[in-house]
Amino acid sequence: MIDWRTWGPYLSERQWGTVREDYSASGDAWSYLSHDDARSRAYRWGEDGLAGFSDNEQRLCLALALWNGRDGALKERPFGLTGPQGNHGEDVKDYWWYLDALPTHAWNRWRYHYPQAAFPYDDLRAENGRRGRDDPEYELLDTGVFDEDRYWIVEVCHAKANPTDLLMSVRITNAGPERETLHVLPTAWFRNTWTWDPESPRPWLAAAGDAAVRIDHPFLGELELLVSPGPALLFCDNETNTQYLYDVPNATPYPKDGINDHVVSGAASVNPDRRGTKCAAWYRVDVEAKSTVELRLRLRPSGSGPTPEAALGEDFDRVVATRRAEADEFYSALTPPAASADEAMVMRQAFAGMLWSKQFYGYNVARWLDGDLGQPVPPAERLTGRNARWREFDAYDVLSMPDKWEYPWFASWDLAFHCVALAHVDPEFAKDQLLLVCREWFQHPNGALPAYEWDFGDVNPPVQAWAALEVFAIDGGHDLDFLSRVFDKLLVNFTWWVNRQDADGSNLFEGGFLGLDNIGPIDRSHLPPGCVLEQSDATGWMAMYSLAMTTIAAILNRSGHRPTRDLVHKFLEHFAAIRAALERQGLWDDVDGLFYDRLIKPDGEAVPVKVHSMVSILPMLAVAFVDEQTMDPAVAAGKQFATFLERHGMRDPEKLTEAGFLRGRPGNRRLLLGAVGVDRVTRLFHRLFDPGEFLSPHGLRSLSVFHREHPYTLDIDGVKSTVDYQPAESNTAMFGGNSNWRGPVWFPLNYLATNALERYHRFFGADLTIEYPTGSGRQSTLHDVAADLWERLVSIFTVDADGRRPCFGGVERMQHDPEWKDNLMFHEYFHGDNGAGLGATHQTGWSGIVADVIRRRHGMVPSIAEIVFGLEEPR
């Protein structure tokens, strides 16, 4: 049976400039395969395109190419600056949006704005190259190319009549004041597998008249692509143009860029026999001002379904109308009744971005290192370079990507947040993703999880157990098999952390990078010689990991799914040891009321790194509560967990009850477990909710505004490095690219912090209130604080009292133009003072979790505690 998800939006939007396609000696992926070379070079590991669809193994691809008649090349993929070219790192410059999608991809809608004048490639490169890190980025709108509305609105809708019958509608609107011509080239092609594997059979495409293409593939079978009448059908081969690139004779006279060269310059570079492995239907569309023209295509098994006329006519209309109505019904059911229409739109576009951001990801590291049979041997340097110790990694899967242009490769901790959002619309896919990153062909034999393509061996926060619990709860708390499977693999990963990231066995962890980029004064992955960095955030993450694993083990045991009581005790013991280390090892500064990293020098001197950042807050996130059935056996064992309770005078249940840490009816009471004592938590709250520190109008800043007036300088043996508050783009290139944690609002840590507040409130209720905001004199419950923080995060995207969306910042066209203002981008991070979107423009991967926030703040999401304590204890 063919799955409805067999075909979907699985093309990348940037395959060039990736590690997979880099076969250089230097490891300079940006330079080895550039945007300009991409049109002429066949990719090895994947494909890219505009509004692209493919099958789930990316054998056959269908996407869009455009030409305004003035550019030097077809627009076949989004354009952007490489990491070295952009004044804030890699930076895409085209404007496109994901407007709608269903989990089955039976309905997907995409929109793009394409200038009618020549695309200013050289201007964008030159001006951004001239600007420095203190300057804003120079964007496509800044060039004036959209002035007088001289641009095309291109909207693509994909719909399915059944799992193998794909419809593609391309609507072209002339937004400008005069009649214009646009060249529209819907393009189908095979991913090149035959060059790298001589045994692989070669598929083919061939014209079947003037409005259809026959497709023959050894695994997909015989298909046909029907197209609206009137195009010229052009064919070439998805083969590298070696003559153009390297002055080496071509294997075919009609290489990959043959269609481009024929359309743009009239070259005889397309096959007159009208067959090949790449083809395009070339339409020259004349469109009056403010008018729209539609083109239609249909990809289906040969000879199936209605006649070609009906297939692109009345039956096409019927399928599109049905799928659009199904999408409306689907999202109507997901929308909380109390949500505003604007929130509903934000939620729907966020989910659409999550679903559009799936991508086929193929990467066999051993083959990448050693080279392909019959191809040039890769340079020797790569055998000791990037990812050389991950030879077991062998991906051939559809993955949720952070951003298919700026981050067109998975990142393990990003993926955890993706899955929490995706669980609302496609829980099976969300669960499969969490399991996938733990599978044998992803997880290292030593237990490490791969971080991200640029360095699998880097260390990301261990949030997979937390995410598995959230996905389990969102899905209704029934899939114990999933929880059991992921738990087993995370046991191995947890052991890797304990063995490899705690150098002296102190239970203070040294995770290094941990995804936090520029948050400190030094590169935490490359320390001064002989130094060790004891990290409050790494230690906090491990406390959180311990509690999440405790909870999973308790669920499996409590439900009777499998006996895991010993593992409950194991992780309670780990938690107690980490809590003790946090208390005794000097990471807490009692004067400042914050946790700080400690740099241990070779002579044993401990230097606190006194930066007011989310590193200082992270230990607070580790909080959970356990019931008496879980607690009592662990206390009876008399080990570290019992000692932890006794040290705090809490081993006696009556004393625990009096202190407020054991609540409920006898026999059904619950114990609060936190890596940080409540007295310190309230002190952290005082800092966290201070508008003069972390609290911004649109969430929690990653670095305190305190450092605007009080930069922090770390002096290690005469080498000084400084941190200051930067609400927008960072002016330091510590990690290269657009890495920035020096002030902006990031969704992941905001989400986790607010989630922790809800857990504290579920335990204390109205008995615990705090001043919020700090200095206001107003007391609030933690539930009310969380509700306000959820509102601040959602307000980044919704229209405010002045009719503006903060995420659009000062870009007036996006704020007011009807063709732009309701098309949302989900940026990587947001200005720490005004909420303007920054960084990657399509990182729906984790900013898309705002969709979860909208449902959660309106009471549509069960808590993990509700699921856990709703389970019956086995008899």
Side-chain angles (χ1 to χ4, degrees):
M1 182 176 179
I2 297 177
D3 193 302
W4 277 84
R5 294 169 179 80
T6 298
W7 293 87
Y10 307 141
L11 266 70
S12 175
E13 279 149 358
R14 178 175 64 82
Q15 186 72 8
W16 62 272
T18 62
V19 168
R20 280 158 290 158
E21 301 295 340
D22 176 21
Y23 282 79
S24 68
S26 64
D28 184 357
W30 287 117
S31 297
Y32 181 76
L33 205 171
S34 68
H35 174 268
D36 288 344
D37 285 354
R39 80 175 66 93
S40 303
R41 188 185 299 185
Y43 295 130
R44 168 65 180 89
W45 295 101
E47 296 290 338
D48 57 19
L50 298 174
F53 256 50
S54 77
D55 64 279
N56 58 6
E57 294 187 9
Q58 206 168 91
R59 294 165 289 198
L60 177 63
C61 307
L62 180 64
L64 187 65
L66 302 166
W67 188 48
N68 56 21
R70 299 175 176 93
D71 289 347
L74 300 183
K75 172 65 68 175
E76 294 181 278
R77 55 189 58 81
F79 168 74
L81 304 177
T82 68
Q85 287 174 334
N87 61 321
H88 295 292
E90 60 268 31
D91 180 19
V92 71
K93 293 304 183 185
D94 278 294
Y95 296 111
W96 76 98
W97 299 268
Y98 309 122
L99 297 183
D100 212 1
L102 284 172
T104 59
H105 306 300
W107 174 254
N108 278 56
R109 188 159 68 95
W110 174 96
R111 181 180 174 114
Y112 173 61
H113 290 179
Y114 180 43
Q116 293 175 353
F119 198 97
Y121 293 104
D122 292 339
D123 182 27
L124 288 164
R125 291 189 184 100
E127 180 58 21
N128 280 284
R130 186 189 65 77
R131 296 187 180 196
R133 285 193 165 268
D134 291 326
D135 300 315
E137 293 164 353
Y138 183 59
E139 305 293 3
L140 187 58
L141 275 168
D142 298 328
T143 68
V145 77
F146 289 100
D147 289 356
E148 299 180 312
D149 291 337
R150 295 182 182 274
Y151 66 96
W152 298 99
I153 300 170
V154 181
E155 187 163 295
V156 175
C157 295
H158 294 277
K160 295 181 189 176
N162 62 51
T164 59
D165 190 348
L166 283 65
L167 287 64
M168 181 179 182
S169 165
V170 183
R171 293 176 59 85
I172 306 106
T173 300
N174 178 1
E178 299 170 358
R179 182 181 182 182
E180 281 284 350
T181 299
L182 179 66
H183 300 252
V184 184
L185 296 99
T187 304
W189 72 100
F190 296 112
R191 179 167 62 90
N192 187 326
T193 56
W194 53 90
T195 294
W196 328 109
D197 185 356
E199 300 300 317
S200 176
R202 190 184 182 103
W204 55 266
L205 306 155
D210 294 326
V213 176
R214 290 176 57 205
I215 300 169
D216 195 338
H217 189 280
F219 301 110
L220 296 175
E222 294 184 4
L223 308 173
E224 61 184 7
L225 178 64
L226 308 177
V227 301
S228 292
L233 295 179
L234 308 178
F235 292 79
C236 64
D237 291 307
N238 187 15
E239 302 267 11
T240 298
N241 189 337
T242 55
Q243 184 70 53
Y244 169 72
L245 292 171
Y246 315 117
D247 200 26
V248 173
N250 283 324
T252 170
Y254 317 111
K256 178 179 177 180
D257 51 13
I259 293 171
N260 174 88
D261 294 352
H262 179 75
V263 172
V264 173
S265 61
S269 50
V270 294
N271 190 339
D273 293 333
R274 300 206 302 172
R275 62 181 292 127
T277 52
K278 177 181 177 181
C279 73
W282 178 18
Y283 296 91
R284 302 170 182 84
V285 182
D286 295 321
V287 187
E288 299 292 342
K290 314 301 181 186
S291 297
T292 300
V293 171
E294 182 186 18
L295 302 173
R296 295 178 170 185
L297 298 90
R298 192 160 184 166
L299 176 66
R300 64 185 188 180
S302 293
S304 65
T307 65
E309 294 76 15
L312 296 179
E314 58 186 22
D315 191 66
F316 196 103
D317 292 334
R318 179 190 61 80
V319 172
V320 167
T322 299
R323 298 299 177 239
R324 188 190 298 269
E326 289 171 350
D328 291 343
E329 182 180 3
F330 179 79
Y331 284 107
S332 177
L334 280 172
T335 303
S340 68
D342 202 26
E343 282 182 293
M345 186 190 76
V346 172
M347 184 196 76
R348 186 164 177 170
Q349 288 193 35
F351 280 137
M354 298 296 307
L355 294 168
W356 265 101
S357 293
K358 296 178 183 180
Q359 178 186 319
F360 168 78
Y361 186 81
Y363 186 23
N364 180 315
V365 170
R367 196 160 182 180
W368 177 76
L369 291 169
D370 298 336
D372 291 298
L373 186 67
Q375 296 294 311
V377 176
E381 291 87 345
R382 71 178 24 227
L383 293 175
T384 55
R386 180 178 289 130
N387 296 333
R389 297 187 178 185
W390 286 79
R391 297 185 69 90
E392 297 81 7
F393 188 93
D394 184 11
Y396 198 77
D397 304 276
V398 172
L399 283 156
S400 176
M401 296 296 161
D403 178 314
K404 292 207 292 188
W405 195 93
E406 301 215 23
Y407 304 111
W409 26 260
F410 79 96
S412 61
W413 92 292
D414 298 52
L415 188 64
F417 293 93
H418 304 186
C419 291
V420 173
L422 285 164
H424 294 268
V425 291
D426 195 349
E428 293 309 313
F429 181 74
K431 288 181 282 188
D432 287 346
Q433 293 289 284
L434 287 171
L435 290 168
L436 180 60
V437 78
C438 296
R439 293 303 301 268
E440 302 75 42
W441 54 91
F442 274 69
Q443 188 172 28
H444 197 281
N446 66 16
L449 297 181
Y452 47 88
E453 183 173 287
W454 286 84
D455 185 358
F456 284 153
D458 216 332
V459 184
N460 275 185
V463 289
Q464 285 72 31
W466 160 80
L469 279 168
E470 290 290 347
V471 169
F472 175 74
I474 292 166
D475 189 38
H478 306 299
D479 194 347
L480 295 164
D481 288 337
F482 155 70
L483 211 55
S484 181
R485 285 184 68 195
V486 77
F487 180 70
D488 286 344
K489 299 308 291 284
L490 292 177
L491 279 171
V492 181
N493 179 246
F494 189 95
T495 303
W496 174 84
W497 269 90
V498 171
N499 289 342
R500 301 293 287 271
Q501 299 299 322
D502 178 13
D504 60 1
S506 66
N507 288 298
L508 296 178
F509 290 82
E510 307 99 28
F513 169 56
L514 280 177
L516 299 184
D517 299 3
N518 286 324
I519 204 165
I522 55 175
D523 181 342
R524 302 196 302 173
S525 293
H526 301 89
L527 300 173
C531 292
V532 172
L533 187 68
E534 295 177 337
Q535 295 176 224
S536 62
D537 59 332
T539 306
W541 287 123
M542 284 302 292
M544 182 177 165
Y545 199 176
S546 298
L547 289 177
M549 293 293 276
T550 300
T551 304
I552 294 175
I555 290 172
L556 295 174
N557 190 70
R558 187 183 181 95
S559 65
H561 187 77
R562 56 187 272 198
T564 51
R565 180 166 289 177
D566 288 349
L567 291 170
V568 172
H569 300 169
K570 167 186 169 64
F571 287 108
L572 284 175
E573 293 292 303
H574 277 294
F575 166 77
I578 293 169
R579 165 81 185 246
L582 277 170
E583 290 174 343
R584 70 173 180 262
Q585 295 294 339
L587 298 187
W588 173 257
D589 188 300
D590 203 49
V591 175
D592 291 354
L594 292 168
F595 286 96
Y596 293 132
D597 290 351
R598 290 198 318 168
L599 188 69
I600 311 300
K601 297 170 63 176
D603 62 3
E605 180 188 0
V607 180
V609 183
K610 294 193 171 187
V611 177
H612 298 199
S613 74
M614 278 294 183
V615 165
S616 305
I617 305 298
L618 267 162
M620 178 201 80
L621 303 183
V623 59
F625 33 94
V626 297
D627 59 10
E628 286 182 280
Q629 294 97 324
T630 301
M631 177 183 71
D632 290 347
V635 172
K639 304 300 181 183
Q640 290 188 85
F641 182 68
T643 303
F644 153 68
L645 292 178
E646 189 168 318
R647 188 169 60 252
H648 292 276
M650 296 191 300
R651 189 163 183 177
D652 182 347
E654 297 309 315
K655 290 183 179 179
L656 278 172
T657 302
E658 290 173 11
F661 296 112
L662 186 66
R663 293 178 168 239
R665 298 188 307 274
N668 193 31
R669 291 176 294 190
R670 300 174 187 179
L671 172 69
L672 179 73
L673 294 179
V676 183
V678 175
D679 55 337
R680 290 182 177 178
V681 168
T682 55
R683 291 195 66 190
L684 288 170
F685 287 164
H686 182 81
R687 292 281 195 182
L688 193 61
F689 303 137
D690 184 347
E693 290 245 20
F694 292 97
L695 185 64
S696 86
H698 301 290
L700 301 171
R701 302 176 174 101
S702 51
L703 189 85
S704 171
V705 74
F706 167 82
H707 289 301
R708 187 180 347 238
E709 301 297 331
H710 305 91
Y712 174 76
T713 299
L714 180 67
D715 188 337
I716 301 296
D717 299 331
V719 179
K720 296 182 179 181
S721 51
T722 300
V723 168
D724 61 344
Y725 173 72
Q726 296 163 31
E729 303 286 6
S730 173
N731 61 17
T732 181
M734 187 185 302
F735 276 88
N738 58 13
S739 300
N740 185 346
W741 284 84
R742 296 203 165 188
V745 171
W746 296 72
F747 259 82
L749 294 187
N750 271 264
Y751 184 89
L752 291 176
T754 310
N755 202 287
L757 286 176
E758 291 281 21
R759 290 198 296 279
Y760 281 112
H761 175 76
R762 276 191 289 274
F763 187 82
F764 287 110
D767 291 343
L768 178 61
T769 63
I770 62 169
E771 184 184 35
Y772 180 83
T774 302
S776 68
R778 297 192 300 271
Q779 291 291 310
S780 299
T781 67
L782 297 185
H783 174 74
D784 291 338
V785 174
D788 184 71
L789 288 173
W790 292 138
E791 169 62 27
R792 290 176 190 240
L793 291 171
V794 172
S795 75
I796 290 172
F797 301 101
T798 52
V799 174
D800 64 17
D802 297 323
R804 302 175 69 87
R805 298 187 190 275
C807 59
F808 290 150
V811 184
E812 294 306 313
R813 183 182 283 269
M814 290 185 173
Q815 293 288 8
H816 300 297
D817 190 317
E819 299 294 352
W820 296 71
K821 67 183 183 68
D822 292 331
N823 305 323
L824 301 179
M825 291 182 178
F826 296 85
H827 287 77
E828 185 177 2
Y829 45 88
F830 301 88
H831 195 287
D833 296 337
N834 61 37
L838 301 164
T841 54
H842 292 77
Q843 194 161 345
T844 325
W846 64 16
S847 292
I849 206 169
V850 69
D852 171 279
V853 172
I854 290 170
R855 300 197 77 231
R856 194 173 291 267
R857 69 187 290 256
H858 288 297
M860 302 288 285
V861 183
S863 71
I864 294 169
E866 290 169 340
I867 297 294
V868 173
F869 297 115
L871 296 170
E872 292 292 331
E873 184 77 8
R875 296 183 185 275

